Amino acid sequence: MGKIISVANPKGGVGKTITSINLAAALAYLNQKVLLIDLDPKGDASKGLGIDTSGVEYNVYSILIQKQNIRNAILRTPYQNLDIIVGSTNMAGFDLECASVDNKNNILKENIEQIKDNYDYIIIDCPPSLTTLTQNAFASSNSVLIPMQCEFFSMEVISQLLNTILRVQRTMNNNLQIEGVLLTMCDFRTKIAISVQQEVRQIFKDKVYTFGIPRNIRLVESTYKGRPIIDYDVKCNSAKNYILLAKEVINNK
Ligand code: ADP
Ligand code: MG
């Protein structure tokens, strides 16, 4: 049965999308069957895999709002073992559109139930918010993987995220776990990266992966070119660390 992992942090620009793409691709590279769901209305995860979403007939909006069968929205990517459901800018109105829907936090879960046995992992790239869309992701998931940028630390943001996870555990999904905390954009020659790392380790203890993802222009280039880093430059440190992350995730199943 597939394990479902939300990649989430309400702060934007912390590496959620780059981690979703590259964790999904690294798991697929390690022979796991993977589905990536691009839940962010910006559609960056889809673009980061080189997909022009305007040419795709069915996307997350089609299944969550227009009630299309989820199977129709699954696309093969150019990468073996890696499928995707692409994002849609229409998802920006999701909160309003489903405001009066019964059980609105479980729409994604009911869809994923139908296909989760076809995958080893389903990775959900969450939007930078804790609204109904992210709650749908958390209600569907076994765990939440939290990317945290080494150059930014806010106790307020972390508290909001942890409170949402607790609320989802209490009300919708008591099995929801923290998969791990991944330090991103790390440059441990800087004081700020060292102190952020210390603070994060004090809060999350052994949930923090021992390695972080270094700040690396090759990663930025690879998303710009629409390719996962293991395809673009498999020898660079970030590719190695995303493979390490995938191995940790597999060991933790
Ligand atoms: P989020 O999804 O949390 O908003 P992204 O994954 O889109 O964050 O990353 C935000 C920006 O930071 C993007 O431009 C991305 O290319 C860049 N970025 C992310 N991780 C790294 C890294 N390890 N090294 C360099 N740039 C990075
Ligand atoms: Mg993103």
Side-chain angles (χ1 to χ4, degrees):
M1 196 168 67
K3 181 169 188 181
I4 303 158
I5 303 175
S6 284
V7 179
N9 183 328
K11 170 101 173 71
V14 297
K16 288 182 290 295
T17 299
I18 225 162
T19 296
S20 301
I21 294 168
N22 288 296
L23 171 61
L27 286 165
Y29 174 80
L30 296 172
N31 290 322
Q32 306 296 306
K33 188 114 185 50
V34 185
L35 173 67
L36 175 62
I37 300 181
D38 183 359
L39 210 57
D40 189 346
K42 287 207 300 290
D44 290 345
S46 312
K47 289 175 215 147
L49 278 176
I51 297 166
D52 172 11
T53 52
S54 65
V56 176
E57 192 171 4
Y58 302 119
N59 52 38
V60 281
Y61 187 80
S62 325
I63 57 175
L64 298 188
I65 294 290
Q66 296 175 321
K67 307 281 170 227
Q68 263 295 331
N69 188 314
I70 188 169
R71 289 181 183 83
N72 294 338
I74 295 175
L75 279 189
R76 305 287 296 272
T77 70
Y79 303 97
Q80 205 178 358
N81 298 324
L82 180 56
D83 292 346
I84 186 169
I85 297 178
V86 303
S88 161
T89 49
N90 289 333
M91 290 306 287
F94 183 74
D95 268 54
L96 278 179
E97 290 200 55
C98 69
S100 57
V101 174
D102 284 344
N103 226 358
K104 64 181 177 188
N105 289 316
N106 284 310
I107 307 175
L108 180 63
K109 181 181 178 173
E110 286 160 10
N111 276 281
I112 289 180
E113 293 285 342
Q114 300 170 39
I115 46 110
K116 74 176 180 191
D117 290 344
N118 300 342
Y119 294 95
D120 298 305
Y121 291 94
I122 298 177
I123 306 295
I124 307 175
D125 182 26
C126 292
S129 69
L130 294 167
T131 53
T132 318
L133 208 43
T134 300
Q135 293 190 41
N136 263 269
F138 288 1
S140 317
S141 293
N142 299 99
S143 63
V144 183
L145 193 151
I146 308 169
M148 300 254 294
Q149 192 191 353
C150 275
E151 290 153 21
F152 173 87
F153 181 84
S154 158
M155 197 53 225
E156 196 186 330
V157 172
I158 293 175
S159 302
Q160 285 169 359
L161 175 62
L162 293 179
N163 284 339
T164 303
I165 292 174
L166 282 174
R167 195 169 58 246
V168 171
Q169 283 170 335
R170 268 201 315 271
T171 56
M172 292 180 261
N173 178 1
N174 55 14
N175 293 319
L176 186 67
Q177 311 266 324
I178 291 181
E179 181 68 36
V181 177
L182 179 69
L183 293 162
T184 60
M185 297 178 235
C186 303
D187 178 353
F188 290 120
R189 291 167 305 183
T190 64
K191 283 193 185 133
I192 176 81
I194 293 166
S195 54
V196 166
Q197 177 184 214
Q198 283 167 348
E199 292 192 68
V200 171
R201 286 192 194 281
Q202 259 167 27
I203 297 166
F204 290 98
K205 313 245 165 11
D206 59 355
K207 283 285 178 194
V208 186
Y209 296 106
T210 48
F211 51 88
I213 306 296
R215 184 172 268 290
N216 181 358
I217 190 68
R218 300 293 279 166
L219 263 177
V220 183
E221 288 168 12
S222 69
T223 22
Y224 185 70
K225 298 273 184 194
R227 290 163 61 185
I229 192 69
I230 48 167
D231 178 42
Y232 187 69
D233 184 358
V234 74
K235 293 208 172 76
C236 77
N237 280 344
S238 323
K240 288 182 189 146
N241 285 10
Y242 274 115
I243 291 172
L244 261 184
L245 175 65
K247 287 182 177 164
E248 292 258 348
V249 166
I250 292 170
N251 287 338
N252 190 34
K253 196 170 183 182

